[in-house]
mmCIF file of all heavy atoms in Angstrom:
data_model
loop_
_atom_site.group_PDB
_atom_site.id
_atom_site.type_symbol
_atom_site.label_atom_id
_atom_site.label_comp_id
_atom_site.label_asym_id
_atom_site.label_seq_id
_atom_site.Cartn_x
_atom_site.Cartn_y
_atom_site.Cartn_z
ATOM 1 N N GLY F 1 97.739 61.895 87.361
ATOM 2 C CA GLY F 1 97.652 62.142 88.806
ATOM 3 C C GLY F 1 97.479 60.924 89.626
ATOM 4 O O GLY F 1 97.663 60.912 90.813
ATOM 5 N N GLY F 2 97.319 59.719 88.940
ATOM 6 C CA GLY F 2 97.182 58.524 89.729
ATOM 7 C C GLY F 2 95.860 58.136 90.145
ATOM 8 O O GLY F 2 95.767 57.226 90.973
ATOM 9 N N TYR F 3 94.828 58.856 89.638
ATOM 10 C CA TYR F 3 93.520 58.594 90.206
ATOM 11 C C TYR F 3 92.775 57.649 89.187
ATOM 12 O O TYR F 3 92.920 57.575 87.994
ATOM 13 C CB TYR F 3 92.699 59.889 90.374
ATOM 14 C CG TYR F 3 93.226 60.774 91.401
ATOM 15 C CD1 TYR F 3 93.955 61.892 91.054
ATOM 16 C CD2 TYR F 3 93.185 60.525 92.755
ATOM 17 C CE1 TYR F 3 94.575 62.735 91.957
ATOM 18 C CE2 TYR F 3 93.613 61.374 93.720
ATOM 19 C CZ TYR F 3 94.348 62.448 93.399
ATOM 20 O OH TYR F 3 94.921 63.272 94.234
ATOM 21 N N ASP F 4 91.634 57.069 89.686
ATOM 22 C CA ASP F 4 90.768 56.351 88.933
ATOM 23 C C ASP F 4 89.791 57.376 88.296
ATOM 24 O O ASP F 4 89.389 58.247 89.002
ATOM 25 C CB ASP F 4 89.923 55.271 89.766
ATOM 26 C CG ASP F 4 88.956 54.429 88.997
ATOM 27 O OD1 ASP F 4 89.254 54.185 87.820
ATOM 28 O OD2 ASP F 4 88.038 53.990 89.584
ATOM 29 N N VAL F 5 89.469 57.234 87.011
ATOM 30 C CA VAL F 5 88.691 58.174 86.378
ATOM 31 C C VAL F 5 87.620 57.560 85.459
ATOM 32 O O VAL F 5 87.919 56.450 84.869
ATOM 33 C CB VAL F 5 89.497 59.231 85.520
ATOM 34 C CG1 VAL F 5 90.274 58.576 84.345
ATOM 35 C CG2 VAL F 5 88.652 60.256 84.949
ATOM 36 N N LYS F 6 86.445 58.043 85.424
ATOM 37 C CA LYS F 6 85.374 57.548 84.648
ATOM 38 C C LYS F 6 84.789 58.759 83.795
ATOM 39 O O LYS F 6 84.559 59.774 84.323
ATOM 40 C CB LYS F 6 84.223 56.892 85.413
ATOM 41 C CG LYS F 6 84.648 55.638 86.226
ATOM 42 C CD LYS F 6 84.847 54.428 85.379
ATOM 43 C CE LYS F 6 85.144 53.236 86.178
ATOM 44 N NZ LYS F 6 86.428 52.973 86.777
ATOM 45 N N LEU F 7 84.678 58.552 82.483
ATOM 46 C CA LEU F 7 84.056 59.552 81.626
ATOM 47 C C LEU F 7 82.778 58.924 81.090
ATOM 48 O O LEU F 7 82.706 57.869 80.719
ATOM 49 C CB LEU F 7 85.025 59.785 80.365
ATOM 50 C CG LEU F 7 86.486 60.281 80.749
ATOM 51 C CD1 LEU F 7 87.245 60.467 79.470
ATOM 52 C CD2 LEU F 7 86.488 61.529 81.479
ATOM 53 N N SER F 8 81.818 59.960 80.866
ATOM 54 C CA SER F 8 80.562 59.503 80.248
ATOM 55 C C SER F 8 80.135 60.706 79.321
ATOM 56 O O SER F 8 80.083 61.806 79.896
ATOM 57 C CB SER F 8 79.466 59.244 81.238
ATOM 58 O OG SER F 8 78.268 58.936 80.611
ATOM 59 N N GLU F 9 79.808 60.478 78.174
ATOM 60 C CA GLU F 9 79.381 61.448 77.231
ATOM 61 C C GLU F 9 77.915 61.302 76.839
ATOM 62 O O GLU F 9 77.376 60.275 76.536
ATOM 63 C CB GLU F 9 80.187 61.418 76.009
ATOM 64 C CG GLU F 9 81.707 61.690 76.300
ATOM 65 C CD GLU F 9 82.658 61.144 75.268
ATOM 66 O OE1 GLU F 9 82.154 60.584 74.235
ATOM 67 O OE2 GLU F 9 83.783 61.299 75.354
ATOM 68 N N VAL F 10 77.145 62.359 76.936
ATOM 69 C CA VAL F 10 75.753 62.429 76.506
ATOM 70 C C VAL F 10 75.562 63.398 75.331
ATOM 71 O O VAL F 10 75.894 64.535 75.610
ATOM 72 C CB VAL F 10 74.873 62.889 77.664
ATOM 73 C CG1 VAL F 10 73.385 62.845 77.249
ATOM 74 C CG2 VAL F 10 75.067 62.018 78.954
ATOM 75 N N HIS F 11 75.194 62.947 74.203
ATOM 76 C CA HIS F 11 75.037 63.708 73.032
ATOM 77 C C HIS F 11 73.635 64.010 72.715
ATOM 78 O O HIS F 11 72.785 63.041 72.597
ATOM 79 C CB HIS F 11 75.711 63.020 71.841
ATOM 80 C CG HIS F 11 77.030 62.596 71.962
ATOM 81 N ND1 HIS F 11 78.058 63.442 71.491
ATOM 82 C CD2 HIS F 11 77.636 61.482 72.430
ATOM 83 C CE1 HIS F 11 79.276 62.743 71.708
ATOM 84 N NE2 HIS F 11 78.958 61.662 72.370
ATOM 85 N N GLY F 12 73.231 65.308 72.537
ATOM 86 C CA GLY F 12 71.902 65.589 72.044
ATOM 87 C C GLY F 12 72.083 65.590 70.504
ATOM 88 O O GLY F 12 72.663 64.697 69.971
ATOM 89 N N MET F 13 71.559 66.553 69.923
ATOM 90 C CA MET F 13 71.715 66.671 68.495
ATOM 91 C C MET F 13 73.015 67.371 68.198
ATOM 92 O O MET F 13 73.075 68.579 67.753
ATOM 93 C CB MET F 13 70.615 67.443 67.811
ATOM 94 C CG MET F 13 69.284 66.707 67.880
ATOM 95 S SD MET F 13 69.270 65.235 66.892
ATOM 96 C CE MET F 13 69.210 65.906 65.298
ATOM 97 N N ALA F 14 74.180 66.802 68.524
ATOM 98 C CA ALA F 14 75.525 67.460 68.546
ATOM 99 C C ALA F 14 75.769 68.023 67.189
ATOM 100 O O ALA F 14 76.298 69.168 67.115
ATOM 101 C CB ALA F 14 76.647 66.444 68.951
ATOM 102 N N GLN F 15 75.566 67.318 66.049
ATOM 103 C CA GLN F 15 75.807 67.870 64.866
ATOM 104 C C GLN F 15 74.995 68.960 64.494
ATOM 105 O O GLN F 15 75.266 69.793 63.485
ATOM 106 C CB GLN F 15 75.776 66.806 63.733
ATOM 107 C CG GLN F 15 76.997 65.885 63.814
ATOM 108 C CD GLN F 15 76.795 64.603 64.728
ATOM 109 O OE1 GLN F 15 75.691 64.417 65.214
ATOM 110 N NE2 GLN F 15 77.784 63.845 65.004
ATOM 111 N N ARG F 16 73.872 69.193 65.128
ATOM 112 C CA ARG F 16 72.963 70.232 64.792
ATOM 113 C C ARG F 16 72.845 71.385 65.769
ATOM 114 O O ARG F 16 71.968 72.026 65.931
ATOM 115 C CB ARG F 16 71.452 69.613 64.753
ATOM 116 C CG ARG F 16 71.289 68.490 63.811
ATOM 117 C CD ARG F 16 70.944 69.046 62.428
ATOM 118 N NE ARG F 16 70.722 67.934 61.516
ATOM 119 C CZ ARG F 16 71.503 67.576 60.523
ATOM 120 N NH1 ARG F 16 72.568 68.287 60.269
ATOM 121 N NH2 ARG F 16 71.143 66.595 59.738
ATOM 122 N N GLY F 17 73.998 71.445 66.590
ATOM 123 C CA GLY F 17 74.075 72.570 67.600
ATOM 124 C C GLY F 17 73.340 72.340 68.927
ATOM 125 O O GLY F 17 73.046 73.136 69.589
ATOM 126 N N GLY F 18 72.973 70.910 69.148
ATOM 127 C CA GLY F 18 72.324 70.611 70.382
ATOM 128 C C GLY F 18 73.228 70.471 71.496
ATOM 129 O O GLY F 18 74.508 70.527 71.326
ATOM 130 N N SER F 19 72.777 70.251 72.684
ATOM 131 C CA SER F 19 73.575 70.165 73.897
ATOM 132 C C SER F 19 74.440 68.858 73.842
ATOM 133 O O SER F 19 74.140 67.773 73.423
ATOM 134 C CB SER F 19 72.701 70.005 75.108
ATOM 135 O OG SER F 19 72.094 71.195 75.490
ATOM 136 N N VAL F 20 75.645 69.020 74.432
ATOM 137 C CA VAL F 20 76.515 67.965 74.676
ATOM 138 C C VAL F 20 76.895 68.032 76.030
ATOM 139 O O VAL F 20 77.389 69.149 76.533
ATOM 140 C CB VAL F 20 77.806 68.018 73.686
ATOM 141 C CG1 VAL F 20 78.706 66.874 73.975
ATOM 142 C CG2 VAL F 20 77.340 67.941 72.231
ATOM 143 N N VAL F 21 76.898 66.937 76.786
ATOM 144 C CA VAL F 21 77.198 66.837 78.249
ATOM 145 C C VAL F 21 78.224 65.771 78.442
ATOM 146 O O VAL F 21 78.089 64.713 77.970
ATOM 147 C CB VAL F 21 76.006 66.642 79.067
ATOM 148 C CG1 VAL F 21 76.418 66.571 80.606
ATOM 149 C CG2 VAL F 21 74.916 67.700 78.861
ATOM 150 N N THR F 22 79.313 66.127 79.186
ATOM 151 C CA THR F 22 80.332 65.099 79.504
ATOM 152 C C THR F 22 80.487 65.113 81.059
ATOM 153 O O THR F 22 80.585 66.173 81.634
ATOM 154 C CB THR F 22 81.681 65.399 78.909
ATOM 155 O OG1 THR F 22 81.495 65.379 77.426
ATOM 156 C CG2 THR F 22 82.691 64.267 79.190
ATOM 157 N N PHE F 23 80.421 63.892 81.616
ATOM 158 C CA PHE F 23 80.690 63.724 83.042
ATOM 159 C C PHE F 23 82.073 63.228 83.254
ATOM 160 O O PHE F 23 82.425 62.291 82.629
ATOM 161 C CB PHE F 23 79.708 62.815 83.658
ATOM 162 C CG PHE F 23 78.212 63.147 83.541
ATOM 163 C CD1 PHE F 23 77.413 62.528 82.706
ATOM 164 C CD2 PHE F 23 77.738 64.182 84.235
ATOM 165 C CE1 PHE F 23 76.139 62.754 82.497
ATOM 166 C CE2 PHE F 23 76.325 64.576 84.096
ATOM 167 C CZ PHE F 23 75.590 63.740 83.235
ATOM 168 N N VAL F 24 82.868 63.724 84.176
ATOM 169 C CA VAL F 24 84.157 63.355 84.506
ATOM 170 C C VAL F 24 84.171 63.167 85.983
ATOM 171 O O VAL F 24 83.926 64.016 86.840
ATOM 172 C CB VAL F 24 85.304 64.287 84.079
ATOM 173 C CG1 VAL F 24 86.642 63.773 84.479
ATOM 174 C CG2 VAL F 24 85.157 64.634 82.643
ATOM 175 N N ARG F 25 84.369 61.896 86.462
ATOM 176 C CA ARG F 25 84.441 61.516 87.903
ATOM 177 C C ARG F 25 85.731 60.939 88.188
ATOM 178 O O ARG F 25 86.256 60.047 87.504
ATOM 179 C CB ARG F 25 83.290 60.603 88.275
ATOM 180 C CG ARG F 25 81.910 61.199 87.972
ATOM 181 C CD ARG F 25 80.795 60.259 88.583
ATOM 182 N NE ARG F 25 80.672 60.504 89.954
ATOM 183 C CZ ARG F 25 80.518 59.493 90.902
ATOM 184 N NH1 ARG F 25 80.422 58.278 90.531
ATOM 185 N NH2 ARG F 25 80.611 59.874 92.185
ATOM 186 N N TYR F 26 86.352 61.341 89.358
ATOM 187 C CA TYR F 26 87.688 60.706 89.636
ATOM 188 C C TYR F 26 87.878 60.702 91.178
ATOM 189 O O TYR F 26 87.205 61.452 91.934
ATOM 190 C CB TYR F 26 88.817 61.550 88.977
ATOM 191 C CG TYR F 26 89.042 62.941 89.457
ATOM 192 C CD1 TYR F 26 90.120 63.149 90.422
ATOM 193 C CD2 TYR F 26 88.268 64.080 89.096
ATOM 194 C CE1 TYR F 26 90.348 64.454 90.897
ATOM 195 C CE2 TYR F 26 88.534 65.261 89.498
ATOM 196 C CZ TYR F 26 89.570 65.596 90.403
ATOM 197 O OH TYR F 26 89.778 66.817 90.839
ATOM 198 N N GLY F 27 88.777 59.752 91.570
ATOM 199 C CA GLY F 27 89.015 59.632 92.971
ATOM 200 C C GLY F 27 89.882 58.306 93.125
ATOM 201 O O GLY F 27 90.393 57.834 92.173
ATOM 202 N N ASP F 28 89.928 57.792 94.393
ATOM 203 C CA ASP F 28 90.689 56.588 94.626
ATOM 204 C C ASP F 28 90.062 55.411 93.815
ATOM 205 O O ASP F 28 90.700 54.578 93.227
ATOM 206 C CB ASP F 28 90.761 56.206 96.007
ATOM 207 C CG ASP F 28 91.614 57.241 96.818
ATOM 208 O OD1 ASP F 28 92.572 57.773 96.131
ATOM 209 O OD2 ASP F 28 91.343 57.502 98.004
ATOM 210 N N LYS F 29 88.777 55.302 93.917
ATOM 211 C CA LYS F 29 87.906 54.315 93.160
ATOM 212 C C LYS F 29 86.611 54.823 92.786
ATOM 213 O O LYS F 29 85.827 55.240 93.688
ATOM 214 C CB LYS F 29 87.800 53.015 94.094
ATOM 215 C CG LYS F 29 87.032 51.924 93.448
ATOM 216 C CD LYS F 29 87.862 51.145 92.369
ATOM 217 C CE LYS F 29 87.058 50.040 91.826
ATOM 218 N NZ LYS F 29 87.288 49.882 90.391
ATOM 219 N N VAL F 30 86.391 54.790 91.552
ATOM 220 C CA VAL F 30 85.093 55.346 90.971
ATOM 221 C C VAL F 30 84.289 54.167 90.323
ATOM 222 O O VAL F 30 84.836 53.470 89.490
ATOM 223 C CB VAL F 30 85.353 56.463 89.929
ATOM 224 C CG1 VAL F 30 84.062 56.982 89.408
ATOM 225 C CG2 VAL F 30 86.130 57.610 90.576
ATOM 226 N N CYS F 31 83.142 53.965 90.748
ATOM 227 C CA CYS F 31 82.363 52.892 90.285
ATOM 228 C C CYS F 31 81.402 53.264 89.065
ATOM 229 O O CYS F 31 81.178 52.464 88.255
ATOM 230 C CB CYS F 31 81.485 52.330 91.442
ATOM 231 S SG CYS F 31 82.487 51.621 92.745
ATOM 232 N N GLU F 32 80.887 54.433 89.040
ATOM 233 C CA GLU F 32 80.042 54.767 88.001
ATOM 234 C C GLU F 32 80.358 56.188 87.423
ATOM 235 O O GLU F 32 80.824 57.047 88.067
ATOM 236 C CB GLU F 32 78.572 54.663 88.357
ATOM 237 C CG GLU F 32 78.242 55.765 89.512
ATOM 238 C CD GLU F 32 76.752 55.676 89.907
ATOM 239 O OE1 GLU F 32 76.257 54.657 90.177
ATOM 240 O OE2 GLU F 32 76.057 56.766 89.837
ATOM 241 N N PRO F 33 80.043 56.415 86.072
ATOM 242 C CA PRO F 33 80.538 57.654 85.515
ATOM 243 C C PRO F 33 79.501 58.788 85.512
ATOM 244 O O PRO F 33 79.846 59.923 85.099
ATOM 245 C CB PRO F 33 80.700 57.130 84.010
ATOM 246 C CG PRO F 33 79.679 56.131 83.909
ATOM 247 C CD PRO F 33 79.573 55.437 85.182
ATOM 248 N N ILE F 34 78.325 58.577 86.006
ATOM 249 C CA ILE F 34 77.226 59.681 85.886
ATOM 250 C C ILE F 34 77.283 60.574 87.208
ATOM 251 O O ILE F 34 77.393 59.976 88.299
ATOM 252 C CB ILE F 34 75.869 59.083 85.783
ATOM 253 C CG1 ILE F 34 75.796 58.143 84.497
ATOM 254 C CG2 ILE F 34 74.823 60.135 85.743
ATOM 255 C CD1 ILE F 34 76.103 58.868 83.224
ATOM 256 N N VAL F 35 77.299 61.867 86.995
ATOM 257 C CA VAL F 35 77.121 62.780 88.021
ATOM 258 C C VAL F 35 75.659 63.131 88.316
ATOM 259 O O VAL F 35 75.006 63.433 87.424
ATOM 260 C CB VAL F 35 77.915 64.117 87.659
ATOM 261 C CG1 VAL F 35 77.825 65.233 88.819
ATOM 262 C CG2 VAL F 35 79.445 63.874 87.377
ATOM 263 N N GLU F 36 75.319 63.034 89.606
ATOM 264 C CA GLU F 36 73.950 63.156 90.023
ATOM 265 C C GLU F 36 73.769 64.713 90.193
ATOM 266 O O GLU F 36 74.711 65.528 90.429
ATOM 267 C CB GLU F 36 73.595 62.563 91.293
ATOM 268 C CG GLU F 36 73.780 61.035 91.167
ATOM 269 C CD GLU F 36 72.819 60.353 90.337
ATOM 270 O OE1 GLU F 36 71.656 60.795 90.233
ATOM 271 O OE2 GLU F 36 73.145 59.238 89.862
ATOM 272 N N GLU F 37 72.438 65.173 90.107
ATOM 273 C CA GLU F 37 72.068 66.556 90.394
ATOM 274 C C GLU F 37 72.631 66.976 91.771
ATOM 275 O O GLU F 37 72.536 66.162 92.735
ATOM 276 C CB GLU F 37 70.606 66.799 90.409
ATOM 277 C CG GLU F 37 70.066 66.604 88.973
ATOM 278 C CD GLU F 37 68.542 66.892 88.790
ATOM 279 O OE1 GLU F 37 67.990 67.486 89.713
ATOM 280 O OE2 GLU F 37 67.989 66.319 87.833
ATOM 281 N N GLY F 38 73.140 68.181 91.808
ATOM 282 C CA GLY F 38 73.639 68.756 93.090
ATOM 283 C C GLY F 38 75.000 68.150 93.540
ATOM 284 O O GLY F 38 75.432 68.399 94.585
ATOM 285 N N GLN F 39 75.758 67.442 92.665
ATOM 286 C CA GLN F 39 76.931 66.816 93.082
ATOM 287 C C GLN F 39 78.260 67.282 92.325
ATOM 288 O O GLN F 39 79.294 66.825 92.671
ATOM 289 C CB GLN F 39 76.846 65.259 92.913
ATOM 290 C CG GLN F 39 75.672 64.668 93.726
ATOM 291 C CD GLN F 39 76.027 64.865 95.225
ATOM 292 O OE1 GLN F 39 77.071 64.646 95.739
ATOM 293 N NE2 GLN F 39 74.997 65.453 95.899
ATOM 294 N N ALA F 40 78.071 68.099 91.319
ATOM 295 C CA ALA F 40 79.254 68.529 90.518
ATOM 296 C C ALA F 40 80.088 69.442 91.253
ATOM 297 O O ALA F 40 79.497 70.511 91.837
ATOM 298 C CB ALA F 40 78.833 69.150 89.225
ATOM 299 N N ASP F 41 81.428 69.192 91.475
ATOM 300 C CA ASP F 41 82.270 70.173 92.136
ATOM 301 C C ASP F 41 82.632 71.293 91.147
ATOM 302 O O ASP F 41 82.827 72.497 91.565
ATOM 303 C CB ASP F 41 83.536 69.460 92.541
ATOM 304 C CG ASP F 41 83.359 68.333 93.574
ATOM 305 O OD1 ASP F 41 83.137 68.618 94.637
ATOM 306 O OD2 ASP F 41 83.402 67.095 93.148
ATOM 307 N N VAL F 42 82.736 71.007 89.848
ATOM 308 C CA VAL F 42 83.052 71.977 88.867
ATOM 309 C C VAL F 42 82.092 71.804 87.708
ATOM 310 O O VAL F 42 81.961 70.608 87.269
ATOM 311 C CB VAL F 42 84.600 71.973 88.389
ATOM 312 C CG1 VAL F 42 84.848 72.929 87.336
ATOM 313 C CG2 VAL F 42 85.554 72.001 89.557
ATOM 314 N N LEU F 43 81.555 72.866 87.221
ATOM 315 C CA LEU F 43 80.739 72.784 85.968
ATOM 316 C C LEU F 43 81.426 73.785 84.996
ATOM 317 O O LEU F 43 81.642 74.971 85.274
ATOM 318 C CB LEU F 43 79.368 73.325 86.276
ATOM 319 C CG LEU F 43 78.372 73.369 85.032
ATOM 320 C CD1 LEU F 43 77.992 72.022 84.623
ATOM 321 C CD2 LEU F 43 77.149 74.263 85.270
ATOM 322 N N ILE F 44 81.822 73.137 83.800
ATOM 323 C CA ILE F 44 82.514 73.970 82.838
ATOM 324 C C ILE F 44 81.464 74.164 81.707
ATOM 325 O O ILE F 44 80.983 73.086 81.119
ATOM 326 C CB ILE F 44 83.719 73.261 82.399
ATOM 327 C CG1 ILE F 44 84.805 73.013 83.452
ATOM 328 C CG2 ILE F 44 84.421 74.021 81.189
ATOM 329 C CD1 ILE F 44 85.929 72.206 82.982
ATOM 330 N N ALA F 45 81.124 75.332 81.441
ATOM 331 C CA ALA F 45 80.078 75.606 80.389
ATOM 332 C C ALA F 45 80.671 76.470 79.270
ATOM 333 O O ALA F 45 81.268 77.485 79.459
ATOM 334 C CB ALA F 45 78.829 76.333 80.969
ATOM 335 N N PHE F 46 80.643 75.823 78.074
ATOM 336 C CA PHE F 46 81.090 76.593 76.867
ATOM 337 C C PHE F 46 80.169 77.689 76.338
ATOM 338 O O PHE F 46 80.504 78.357 75.301
ATOM 339 C CB PHE F 46 81.438 75.565 75.803
ATOM 340 C CG PHE F 46 82.663 74.765 76.110
ATOM 341 C CD1 PHE F 46 82.890 73.583 75.381
ATOM 342 C CD2 PHE F 46 83.530 75.053 77.111
ATOM 343 C CE1 PHE F 46 83.970 72.775 75.700
ATOM 344 C CE2 PHE F 46 84.609 74.313 77.456
ATOM 345 C CZ PHE F 46 84.927 73.177 76.665
ATOM 346 N N GLU F 47 79.040 77.834 76.943
ATOM 347 C CA GLU F 47 77.990 78.794 76.475
ATOM 348 C C GLU F 47 77.154 79.083 77.608
ATOM 349 O O GLU F 47 76.873 78.338 78.420
ATOM 350 C CB GLU F 47 77.284 78.191 75.299
ATOM 351 C CG GLU F 47 76.450 79.131 74.485
ATOM 352 C CD GLU F 47 75.024 79.374 75.044
ATOM 353 O OE1 GLU F 47 74.564 78.506 75.851
ATOM 354 O OE2 GLU F 47 74.492 80.297 74.583
ATOM 355 N N ARG F 48 76.659 80.388 77.725
ATOM 356 C CA ARG F 48 75.870 80.895 78.963
ATOM 357 C C ARG F 48 74.549 80.108 79.072
ATOM 358 O O ARG F 48 74.314 79.728 80.210
ATOM 359 C CB ARG F 48 75.414 82.355 78.701
ATOM 360 C CG ARG F 48 76.523 83.334 78.892
ATOM 361 C CD ARG F 48 76.137 84.697 78.641
ATOM 362 N NE ARG F 48 76.414 85.059 77.265
ATOM 363 C CZ ARG F 48 75.952 86.074 76.642
ATOM 364 N NH1 ARG F 48 75.136 86.986 77.132
ATOM 365 N NH2 ARG F 48 76.277 86.313 75.378
#
């Protein structure tokens, strides 16, 4: 889509069924990959 994008992955005990979190930030210019609390436009959860 022509946007700047930053990805950041946070792995818990991923191989042991632990939490895995990925941040995706995009726009005209993105400086950092981490999403702060209260700032996610979309939260995609693979489990309740």
Side-chain angles (χ1 to χ4, degrees):
Y3 296 105
D4 185 25
V5 63
K6 298 286 187 283
L7 304 174
S8 177
E9 300 160 355
V10 179
H11 304 266
M13 292 291 290
Q15 286 88 7
R16 304 270 186 252
S19 284
V20 177
V21 179
T22 303
F23 301 107
V24 180
R25 301 189 75 222
Y26 69 99
D28 293 330
K29 179 70 177 146
V30 179
C31 296
E32 64 179 52
I34 304 297
V35 176
E36 300 289 331
E37 291 184 20
Q39 297 302 309
D41 297 284
V42 178
L43 175 73
I44 299 170
F46 287 167
E47 194 272 343
R48 285 180 266 167

